[in-house]
Amino acid sequence: MTSSAAQFSVTLRRSVLSVPAINLRALEKSRMLDCDSVIFDLEDSVAHDKKAEARDNLRQFFAQGRLEGRECIIRVNSNDGGFFAEDMAVVVACRPDAVLLPKVDEPEDLQRVADVFSDADLPGGCKIWAMMETPRGILNAAAIAKYGRSSGGRLEAFVVGLNDLRKDTGVLPEPGRIFLVPWLMQVVLAARAYGIDVIDSVSNDFRDLDSFGAECAQGRAMGFDGKMLIHPAQIDAANRHFGFSDEAVAEAKAIVSAFQEEGADGLNVINMGGRMVERLHLVQAEKLLAKAALAEQRKKQA
Ligand code: COA
Ligand code: MG
C-alpha cells in the first residue's frame, strides 16, 4: 500500500522573481537567473505612460524564446483599470504558464480572466494566480480559492502582497510582521483548503539579506511554498529557506524505507525508533522527495 512519488505533480516555487517588463536589462538578465519562476510585471513597476512600451517588450521577449525549465507568469493590471484588456491581449499572444491578477477582491474578479481565456480559446495549460493584497481580498480568500478551483477552474496559486495591504490598512512594517501574521495565515489556510500553492510577499530592503533570510524562515514555518522576490540578490536565500535540507531529505527517505519494510504494508502507523509515524507522513515524505529531486535537477542545470 505504499504510494509512489510519481503520483505527485510537483512544481518548485521557492523563488518567484518579479521583473519589470519596462526594464530591458532586467528582462535579459532573467534568462540567466537561478529562480524557480519569473513574474513579468506590467502592473506596479511600470509607469502609466510606459505600459504600451512594456507590453511590446514582453511580446518581443517571448518571441525570442521562453525561459528554460522555469515558470513564466505575466502580471497584468487589475480588472477595473484601463489597461486590463490590452494586457490580456499580451497574455493571449505570449501564452505564459500563468497570468497573475493583482488586487483580487472577490471570486468574480477571476471570472474576467477566465472569460478572456475562453474567448481566445486558450488551452487549459495557462493558469491563473491571484494577488491577495487588499482588505476585501484577505477577507474573501477562502471564497476566492473555492471559486477558482471549482468546475475546472484554473487558479493555481495565491501571492500575498504586503505593500498594498499595509497601504490600505495602515499596519506598520513592524519586525516579525507581528500584526500581519493572522492575515498571512488566513491566506495560507484558504490556499491549503482548496489545494493551491501560496507564495509569501516581497521584502523591499534587498540589501539587508540577514533580515530577508529571517523573513524567509518565518514564511517557510508559516507554510508558504516560496517567496516573491524583487532582486536577484534574494534568490539564493529563498531557494535555501524554501528548499530541502540534507537532514529533511534523509528523514523523508527513512520514512519511505520504514513503510517498505516487511510487515509494514498493511499498517497505517509504525514505530520508527520510538516515534510514531503515520501513513500521512509517508505522503508528506514522498512529496518532499519529489520536490527535492526537482531542486537537485535544477542545481545541475545551473
Ligand atoms: N530582475 C532581473 N534583474 C534585476 C532585477 C530584477 N528584478 N533587479 C535588478 N536586476 C539586475 C540589474 O539590472 C543589475 O544588473 P547588472 O548589474 O548586470 O546591470 C543587477 O541586477 C544589480 O541591480 P542593482 O543595481 O542592485 O539594482 P537596480 O538599481 O538596478 O534595481 C530595483 C533595483 C529595486 C529598481 C529593481 O531591483 C527592481 O525593479 N525590482 C523589481 C521591482 C518590481 O518588480 N516591483 C513590483 C513587484 S513588488
Ligand atoms: Mg501590489
Side-chain angles (χ1 to χ4, degrees):
M1 232 170 56
T2 50
S3 42
S4 132
Q7 75 181 280
F8 303 116
S9 127
V10 291
T11 310
L12 280 182
R13 296 185 177 124
R14 301 164 300 176
S15 47
V16 180
L17 178 67
S18 175
V19 179
I22 195 62
N23 184 338
L24 289 175
R25 172 79 192 141
L27 282 174
E28 245 356 273
K29 269 205 103 138
S30 73
R31 293 197 184 277
M32 301 169 284
L33 297 171
D34 191 22
C35 50
D36 291 331
S37 321
V38 176
I39 295 173
F40 298 99
D41 186 32
L42 291 168
E43 199 221 9
D44 284 345
S45 68
V46 181
H48 281 199
D49 60 347
K50 300 272 185 188
K51 300 283 187 196
E53 187 183 333
R55 285 186 209 109
D56 285 347
N57 289 348
L58 281 194
R59 282 204 170 88
Q60 282 173 29
F61 182 85
F62 275 80
Q64 284 158 16
R66 302 174 69 91
L67 302 180
E68 285 280 308
R70 277 164 302 151
E71 267 188 314
C72 297
I73 300 102
I74 293 181
R75 183 164 79 166
V76 295
N77 287 274
S78 65
N79 285 339
D80 49 5
F83 304 116
F84 178 72
E86 283 173 275
D87 289 355
M88 286 303 294
V90 174
V91 170
V92 169
C94 295
R95 310 218 163 186
D97 297 297
V99 57
L100 174 58
L101 185 65
K103 301 180 177 67
V104 175
D105 277 334
E106 321 262 351
E108 292 71 27
D109 292 340
L110 304 180
Q111 192 56 48
R112 283 198 52 200
V113 176
D115 288 347
V116 174
F117 284 168
S118 28
D119 289 351
D121 207 12
L122 214 65
C126 191
K127 303 296 181 193
I128 301 175
W129 290 20
M131 297 276 328
M132 293 283 105
E133 55 183 347
T134 65
R136 276 163 60 202
I138 305 290
L139 285 172
N140 291 330
I144 293 166
K146 183 176 182 188
Y147 185 88
R149 296 300 285 173
S150 60
S151 57
R154 299 176 188 234
L155 184 66
E156 202 165 67
F158 277 157
V159 182
V160 177
L162 288 184
N163 285 326
D164 275 284
L165 195 59
R166 284 195 189 101
K167 171 175 77 63
D168 288 357
T169 57
V171 174
L172 299 177
E174 296 284 333
R177 304 189 287 182
I178 175 164
F179 299 113
L180 295 164
V181 164
W183 299 339
L184 292 168
M185 291 311 304
Q186 194 165 321
V187 176
V188 171
L189 191 63
R192 297 305 177 215
Y194 295 98
I196 64 174
D197 273 3
V198 60
I199 311 298
D200 197 358
S201 172
V202 297
S203 192
N204 298 337
D205 193 351
F206 59 84
R207 299 255 186 261
D208 183 356
L209 290 179
D210 287 342
S211 302
F212 180 71
E215 199 169 288
C216 285
Q218 185 202 32
R220 175 69 188 255
M222 285 193 283
F224 284 99
D225 294 291
K227 197 155 174 71
M228 184 170 171
L229 313 177
I230 50 164
H231 193 279
Q234 298 177 320
I235 295 172
D236 276 357
N239 282 347
R240 201 169 53 252
H241 283 283
F242 291 96
F244 316 94
S245 65
D246 292 346
E247 296 75 35
V249 169
E251 162 86 6
K253 283 183 177 164
I255 291 173
V256 171
S257 309
F259 274 102
Q260 281 168 349
E261 272 174 30
E262 219 179 311
D265 214 27
L267 297 178
N268 259 20
V269 281
I270 55 175
N271 172 354
M272 211 175 97
R275 193 158 54 91
M276 177 184 79
V277 178
E278 296 185 68
R279 200 160 279 279
L280 65 93
H281 296 119
L282 173 63
V283 176
Q284 256 179 323
E286 287 181 328
K287 269 192 190 157
L288 186 145
L289 290 175
K291 284 195 174 187
L294 264 184
E296 201 51 41
Q297 207 178 313
R298 177 81 38 85
K299 207 155 63 179
K300 283 191 189 129
Q301 284 163 355

PDB file of all heavy atoms in Angstrom, residues 1 11 16 35 46 55 59 70 84 92 152-154 157 166 189-190 200 207 237 247 277 300:
ATOM      1  N   MET A   1       0.814  -1.211   0.000  1.00  0.00           N
ATOM      2  CA  MET A   1       0.000   0.000   0.000  1.00  0.00           C
ATOM      3  C   MET A   1       0.858   1.277   0.000  1.00  0.00           C
ATOM      4  O   MET A   1       0.430   2.335   0.425  1.00  0.00           O
ATOM      5  CB  MET A   1      -0.898   0.029   1.225  1.00  0.00           C
ATOM      6  CG  MET A   1      -2.324   0.282   0.800  1.00  0.00           C
ATOM      7  SD  MET A   1      -3.553   0.075   2.091  1.00  0.00           S
ATOM      8  CE  MET A   1      -3.114   1.115   3.423  1.00  0.00           C
ATOM      9  N   THR A  11       5.604  21.214  -8.480  1.00  0.00           N
ATOM     10  CA  THR A  11       6.276  22.326  -9.146  1.00  0.00           C
ATOM     11  C   THR A  11       7.038  23.099  -8.077  1.00  0.00           C
ATOM     12  O   THR A  11       6.493  23.356  -7.008  1.00  0.00           O
ATOM     13  CB  THR A  11       5.236  23.271  -9.787  1.00  0.00           C
ATOM     14  OG1 THR A  11       4.340  22.485 -10.555  1.00  0.00           O
ATOM     15  CG2 THR A  11       5.903  24.288 -10.691  1.00  0.00           C
ATOM     16  N   VAL A  16      10.335  33.324  -6.612  1.00  0.00           N
ATOM     17  CA  VAL A  16       9.454  33.813  -7.677  1.00  0.00           C
ATOM     18  C   VAL A  16       9.822  35.283  -7.927  1.00  0.00           C
ATOM     19  O   VAL A  16       9.380  36.176  -7.211  1.00  0.00           O
ATOM     20  CB  VAL A  16       7.975  33.657  -7.241  1.00  0.00           C
ATOM     21  CG1 VAL A  16       7.042  34.159  -8.334  1.00  0.00           C
ATOM     22  CG2 VAL A  16       7.657  32.205  -6.884  1.00  0.00           C
ATOM     23  N   CYS A  35      16.248  31.406 -10.382  1.00  0.00           N
ATOM     24  CA  CYS A  35      14.973  31.396  -9.635  1.00  0.00           C
ATOM     25  C   CYS A  35      14.055  30.340 -10.254  1.00  0.00           C
ATOM     26  O   CYS A  35      14.253  29.940 -11.401  1.00  0.00           O
ATOM     27  CB  CYS A  35      14.317  32.769  -9.675  1.00  0.00           C
ATOM     28  SG  CYS A  35      14.205  33.449 -11.330  1.00  0.00           S
ATOM     29  N   VAL A  46       5.545  49.479 -13.529  1.00  0.00           N
ATOM     30  CA  VAL A  46       5.560  50.160 -14.837  1.00  0.00           C
ATOM     31  C   VAL A  46       4.678  51.415 -14.769  1.00  0.00           C
ATOM     32  O   VAL A  46       3.484  51.317 -14.431  1.00  0.00           O
ATOM     33  CB  VAL A  46       5.042  49.217 -15.961  1.00  0.00           C
ATOM     34  CG1 VAL A  46       5.079  49.929 -17.311  1.00  0.00           C
ATOM     35  CG2 VAL A  46       5.859  47.924 -16.002  1.00  0.00           C
ATOM     36  N   ARG A  55       4.437  46.358 -22.767  1.00  0.00           N
ATOM     37  CA  ARG A  55       3.746  45.260 -23.473  1.00  0.00           C
ATOM     38  C   ARG A  55       4.539  44.834 -24.709  1.00  0.00           C
ATOM     39  O   ARG A  55       4.695  43.641 -24.976  1.00  0.00           O
ATOM     40  CB  ARG A  55       2.351  45.707 -23.918  1.00  0.00           C
ATOM     41  CG  ARG A  55       1.361  45.785 -22.800  1.00  0.00           C
ATOM     42  CD  ARG A  55      -0.026  46.090 -23.377  1.00  0.00           C
ATOM     43  NE  ARG A  55      -0.809  46.808 -22.398  1.00  0.00           N
ATOM     44  CZ  ARG A  55      -1.142  48.096 -22.472  1.00  0.00           C
ATOM     45  NH1 ARG A  55      -0.808  48.821 -23.516  1.00  0.00           N
ATOM     46  NH2 ARG A  55      -1.824  48.657 -21.501  1.00  0.00           N
ATOM     47  N   ARG A  59       6.152  41.125 -25.688  1.00  0.00           N
ATOM     48  CA  ARG A  59       5.884  40.409 -26.952  1.00  0.00           C
ATOM     49  C   ARG A  59       7.212  39.977 -27.589  1.00  0.00           C
ATOM     50  O   ARG A  59       7.359  38.840 -28.030  1.00  0.00           O
ATOM     51  CB  ARG A  59       5.114  41.310 -27.915  1.00  0.00           C
ATOM     52  CG  ARG A  59       3.653  41.430 -27.592  1.00  0.00           C
ATOM     53  CD  ARG A  59       2.862  41.813 -28.852  1.00  0.00           C
ATOM     54  NE  ARG A  59       1.438  41.710 -28.619  1.00  0.00           N
ATOM     55  CZ  ARG A  59       0.692  42.696 -28.124  1.00  0.00           C
ATOM     56  NH1 ARG A  59       1.242  43.846 -27.821  1.00  0.00           N
ATOM     57  NH2 ARG A  59      -0.610  42.520 -27.930  1.00  0.00           N
ATOM     58  N   ARG A  70      11.821  26.992 -16.382  1.00  0.00           N
ATOM     59  CA  ARG A  70      11.260  27.806 -15.307  1.00  0.00           C
ATOM     60  C   ARG A  70       9.886  28.318 -15.703  1.00  0.00           C
ATOM     61  O   ARG A  70       9.623  28.550 -16.879  1.00  0.00           O
ATOM     62  CB  ARG A  70      12.186  28.992 -14.985  1.00  0.00           C
ATOM     63  CG  ARG A  70      13.302  28.581 -14.042  1.00  0.00           C
ATOM     64  CD  ARG A  70      14.409  29.585 -14.033  1.00  0.00           C
ATOM     65  NE  ARG A  70      14.934  29.760 -15.371  1.00  0.00           N
ATOM     66  CZ  ARG A  70      15.475  30.888 -15.791  1.00  0.00           C
ATOM     67  NH1 ARG A  70      15.529  31.934 -15.006  1.00  0.00           N
ATOM     68  NH2 ARG A  70      15.965  30.976 -17.008  1.00  0.00           N
ATOM     69  N   PHE A  84      -6.400  46.561 -18.521  1.00  0.00           N
ATOM     70  CA  PHE A  84      -6.607  45.113 -18.427  1.00  0.00           C
ATOM     71  C   PHE A  84      -6.730  44.441 -19.802  1.00  0.00           C
ATOM     72  O   PHE A  84      -6.051  43.451 -20.080  1.00  0.00           O
ATOM     73  CB  PHE A  84      -7.848  44.838 -17.568  1.00  0.00           C
ATOM     74  CG  PHE A  84      -8.197  43.381 -17.433  1.00  0.00           C
ATOM     75  CD1 PHE A  84      -7.438  42.529 -16.658  1.00  0.00           C
ATOM     76  CD2 PHE A  84      -9.303  42.858 -18.098  1.00  0.00           C
ATOM     77  CE1 PHE A  84      -7.769  41.196 -16.530  1.00  0.00           C
ATOM     78  CE2 PHE A  84      -9.636  41.517 -17.976  1.00  0.00           C
ATOM     79  CZ  PHE A  84      -8.863  40.691 -17.188  1.00  0.00           C
ATOM     80  N   VAL A  92      -2.531  36.478 -24.119  1.00  0.00           N
ATOM     81  CA  VAL A  92      -3.025  35.554 -25.146  1.00  0.00           C
ATOM     82  C   VAL A  92      -1.953  35.337 -26.219  1.00  0.00           C
ATOM     83  O   VAL A  92      -1.735  34.214 -26.686  1.00  0.00           O
ATOM     84  CB  VAL A  92      -4.343  36.089 -25.761  1.00  0.00           C
ATOM     85  CG1 VAL A  92      -4.722  35.307 -27.007  1.00  0.00           C
ATOM     86  CG2 VAL A  92      -5.457  36.028 -24.727  1.00  0.00           C
ATOM     87  N   GLY A 152     -13.386  23.038 -13.063  1.00  0.00           N
ATOM     88  CA  GLY A 152     -12.235  23.156 -13.964  1.00  0.00           C
ATOM     89  C   GLY A 152     -11.513  24.490 -13.852  1.00  0.00           C
ATOM     90  O   GLY A 152     -10.812  24.922 -14.755  1.00  0.00           O
ATOM     91  N   GLY A 153     -11.701  25.186 -12.715  1.00  0.00           N
ATOM     92  CA  GLY A 153     -11.057  26.488 -12.503  1.00  0.00           C
ATOM     93  C   GLY A 153      -9.549  26.401 -12.673  1.00  0.00           C
ATOM     94  O   GLY A 153      -8.953  25.372 -12.400  1.00  0.00           O
ATOM     95  N   ARG A 154      -8.967  27.513 -13.107  1.00  0.00           N
ATOM     96  CA  ARG A 154      -7.539  27.479 -13.422  1.00  0.00           C
ATOM     97  C   ARG A 154      -6.675  28.066 -12.316  1.00  0.00           C
ATOM     98  O   ARG A 154      -5.478  28.257 -12.508  1.00  0.00           O
ATOM     99  CB  ARG A 154      -7.269  28.300 -14.680  1.00  0.00           C
ATOM    100  CG  ARG A 154      -7.980  27.814 -15.924  1.00  0.00           C
ATOM    101  CD  ARG A 154      -7.690  28.786 -17.048  1.00  0.00           C
ATOM    102  NE  ARG A 154      -8.472  28.510 -18.228  1.00  0.00           N
ATOM    103  CZ  ARG A 154      -7.939  28.332 -19.447  1.00  0.00           C
ATOM    104  NH1 ARG A 154      -6.646  28.376 -19.621  1.00  0.00           N
ATOM    105  NH2 ARG A 154      -8.717  28.121 -20.483  1.00  0.00           N
ATOM    106  N   ALA A 157      -2.333  29.459  -7.723  1.00  0.00           N
ATOM    107  CA  ALA A 157      -1.543  29.983  -6.601  1.00  0.00           C
ATOM    108  C   ALA A 157      -2.069  31.341  -6.144  1.00  0.00           C
ATOM    109  O   ALA A 157      -2.599  32.112  -6.934  1.00  0.00           O
ATOM    110  CB  ALA A 157      -0.076  30.120  -7.011  1.00  0.00           C
ATOM    111  N   ARG A 166      -0.467  46.899   3.491  1.00  0.00           N
ATOM    112  CA  ARG A 166      -0.086  47.872   4.532  1.00  0.00           C
ATOM    113  C   ARG A 166      -0.660  49.242   4.200  1.00  0.00           C
ATOM    114  O   ARG A 166      -1.152  49.945   5.069  1.00  0.00           O
ATOM    115  CB  ARG A 166       1.440  47.966   4.635  1.00  0.00           C
ATOM    116  CG  ARG A 166       2.081  46.794   5.342  1.00  0.00           C
ATOM    117  CD  ARG A 166       3.517  47.140   5.734  1.00  0.00           C
ATOM    118  NE  ARG A 166       4.223  45.966   6.221  1.00  0.00           N
ATOM    119  CZ  ARG A 166       5.087  45.253   5.503  1.00  0.00           C
ATOM    120  NH1 ARG A 166       5.368  45.598   4.261  1.00  0.00           N
ATOM    121  NH2 ARG A 166       5.675  44.208   6.019  1.00  0.00           N
ATOM    122  N   LEU A 189      -4.188  29.184   4.931  1.00  0.00           N
ATOM    123  CA  LEU A 189      -5.247  28.202   5.210  1.00  0.00           C
ATOM    124  C   LEU A 189      -6.213  28.086   4.029  1.00  0.00           C
ATOM    125  O   LEU A 189      -6.588  26.978   3.631  1.00  0.00           O
ATOM    126  CB  LEU A 189      -5.998  28.632   6.474  1.00  0.00           C
ATOM    127  CG  LEU A 189      -6.946  27.613   7.070  1.00  0.00           C
ATOM    128  CD1 LEU A 189      -6.200  26.363   7.534  1.00  0.00           C
ATOM    129  CD2 LEU A 189      -7.703  28.229   8.256  1.00  0.00           C
ATOM    130  N   ALA A 190      -6.600  29.223   3.464  1.00  0.00           N
ATOM    131  CA  ALA A 190      -7.536  29.206   2.326  1.00  0.00           C
ATOM    132  C   ALA A 190      -6.911  28.462   1.147  1.00  0.00           C
ATOM    133  O   ALA A 190      -7.569  27.657   0.478  1.00  0.00           O
ATOM    134  CB  ALA A 190      -7.892  30.635   1.921  1.00  0.00           C
ATOM    135  N   ASP A 200       4.733  33.828  -0.417  1.00  0.00           N
ATOM    136  CA  ASP A 200       4.851  34.940   0.539  1.00  0.00           C
ATOM    137  C   ASP A 200       5.208  36.241  -0.198  1.00  0.00           C
ATOM    138  O   ASP A 200       5.752  36.229  -1.307  1.00  0.00           O
ATOM    139  CB  ASP A 200       5.939  34.581   1.570  1.00  0.00           C
ATOM    140  CG  ASP A 200       5.880  35.431   2.834  1.00  0.00           C
ATOM    141  OD1 ASP A 200       5.025  36.335   2.916  1.00  0.00           O
ATOM    142  OD2 ASP A 200       6.704  35.187   3.738  1.00  0.00           O
ATOM    143  N   ARG A 207      19.015  44.906   0.108  1.00  0.00           N
ATOM    144  CA  ARG A 207      20.421  44.850   0.532  1.00  0.00           C
ATOM    145  C   ARG A 207      20.576  44.165   1.896  1.00  0.00           C
ATOM    146  O   ARG A 207      21.648  43.684   2.221  1.00  0.00           O
ATOM    147  CB  ARG A 207      21.009  46.257   0.628  1.00  0.00           C
ATOM    148  CG  ARG A 207      20.999  47.017  -0.676  1.00  0.00           C
ATOM    149  CD  ARG A 207      22.381  47.094  -1.309  1.00  0.00           C
ATOM    150  NE  ARG A 207      22.330  47.954  -2.487  1.00  0.00           N
ATOM    151  CZ  ARG A 207      22.245  47.513  -3.730  1.00  0.00           C
ATOM    152  NH1 ARG A 207      22.218  46.226  -3.983  1.00  0.00           N
ATOM    153  NH2 ARG A 207      22.194  48.353  -4.740  1.00  0.00           N
ATOM    154  N   ALA A 237      18.905  32.932  -1.002  1.00  0.00           N
ATOM    155  CA  ALA A 237      18.307  32.730   0.328  1.00  0.00           C
ATOM    156  C   ALA A 237      16.928  32.087   0.198  1.00  0.00           C
ATOM    157  O   ALA A 237      16.572  31.192   0.973  1.00  0.00           O
ATOM    158  CB  ALA A 237      18.212  34.055   1.075  1.00  0.00           C
ATOM    159  N   GLU A 247      19.172  17.024   5.978  1.00  0.00           N
ATOM    160  CA  GLU A 247      18.523  16.320   7.106  1.00  0.00           C
ATOM    161  C   GLU A 247      17.066  15.986   6.749  1.00  0.00           C
ATOM    162  O   GLU A 247      16.595  14.874   7.006  1.00  0.00           O
ATOM    163  CB  GLU A 247      18.513  17.184   8.383  1.00  0.00           C
ATOM    164  CG  GLU A 247      19.880  17.515   8.953  1.00  0.00           C
ATOM    165  CD  GLU A 247      20.622  18.586   8.164  1.00  0.00           C
ATOM    166  OE1 GLU A 247      19.960  19.511   7.646  1.00  0.00           O
ATOM    167  OE2 GLU A 247      21.858  18.498   8.036  1.00  0.00           O
ATOM    168  N   VAL A 277       5.064   7.156  13.422  1.00  0.00           N
ATOM    169  CA  VAL A 277       4.991   7.730  12.084  1.00  0.00           C
ATOM    170  C   VAL A 277       3.739   7.185  11.422  1.00  0.00           C
ATOM    171  O   VAL A 277       3.497   5.981  11.434  1.00  0.00           O
ATOM    172  CB  VAL A 277       6.254   7.382  11.264  1.00  0.00           C
ATOM    173  CG1 VAL A 277       6.136   7.935   9.860  1.00  0.00           C
ATOM    174  CG2 VAL A 277       7.494   7.948  11.928  1.00  0.00           C
ATOM    175  N   LYS A 300      21.820  21.073 -11.043  1.00  0.00           N
ATOM    176  CA  LYS A 300      22.731  20.504 -12.052  1.00  0.00           C
ATOM    177  C   LYS A 300      22.669  21.289 -13.359  1.00  0.00           C
ATOM    178  O   LYS A 300      23.669  21.445 -14.053  1.00  0.00           O
ATOM    179  CB  LYS A 300      22.377  19.038 -12.307  1.00  0.00           C
ATOM    180  CG  LYS A 300      22.866  18.146 -11.205  1.00  0.00           C
ATOM    181  CD  LYS A 300      22.756  16.674 -11.578  1.00  0.00           C
ATOM    182  CE  LYS A 300      23.051  15.802 -10.379  1.00  0.00           C
ATOM    183  NZ  LYS A 300      22.028  14.812 -10.150  1.00  0.00           N
TER     184      LYS A 300
END
